[in-house]
Amino acid sequence: EVHLVESGGGLAQAGGSLTLSCAASGFTFTRYPMSWIRQVPGKALEWVSTIGAGPGTASYAESVKGRFTISRDDAKNTLSLQLNNLKTEDTAMYYCAKDVLKLGAQVTASQRGQGTQVTVSL
């Protein structure tokens, strides 16, 4: 059974930083691209970033490019997201996700964790 457990969220001031982590189990982590997605209550899921399997090429949403950095540690089955220069619009529940599909603005994931809340204040 796939388990994805996020941690590291919290309250930060605009311009500040947070580091999110995700512990993965129940599948061969090294074989899968992994993603971070986020959601604001009442709004659709938003794709944030994906890192490929193996060497791990990273891609980012335009809204976070240059501010967020995704990484993975395959030895520890861990996915991370470094959030720098936070903005109030980054406030959301952040999810670690597997098998993310993007169809236009629609985002789906076959598996995601319970999420970790990030709140950015002025």
Side-chain angles (χ1 to χ4, degrees):
E1 184 180 357
V2 173
H3 283 286
L4 300 168
V5 181
E6 302 93 339
S7 60
L11 179 64
Q13 288 189 321
S17 299
L18 287 171
T19 302
L20 308 185
S21 296
C22 171
S25 62
F27 64 104
T28 307
F29 182 75
T30 58
R31 294 183 181 176
Y32 290 88
M34 294 295 297
S35 300
W36 288 96
I37 57 179
R38 65 187 183 185
Q39 190 171 31
V40 174
K43 295 190 176 181
L45 285 169
E46 178 186 7
W47 172 73
V48 175
S49 181
T50 295
I51 187 166
T57 301
S59 57
Y60 299 92
E62 284 298 322
S63 59
V64 307
K65 194 174 291 184
R67 301 187 298 118
F68 291 7
T69 303
I70 192 171
S71 62
R72 63 190 299 160
D73 184 337
D74 288 345
K76 297 181 179 180
N77 284 7
T78 300
L79 179 73
S80 298
L81 187 70
Q82 177 67 39
L83 292 67
N84 294 329
N85 191 19
L86 282 161
K87 302 179 180 181
T88 55
E89 53 263 43
D90 295 321
T91 295
M93 185 71 79
Y94 283 71
Y95 300 93
C96 168
K98 178 178 173 288
D99 300 328
V100 169
L101 293 177
K102 296 178 288 177
L103 297 175
Q106 186 177 6
V107 176
T108 61
S110 68
Q111 303 283 348
R112 55 172 163 158
Q114 83 288 348
T116 186
Q117 178 68 36
V118 171
T119 303
V120 184
S121 62
L122 290 171

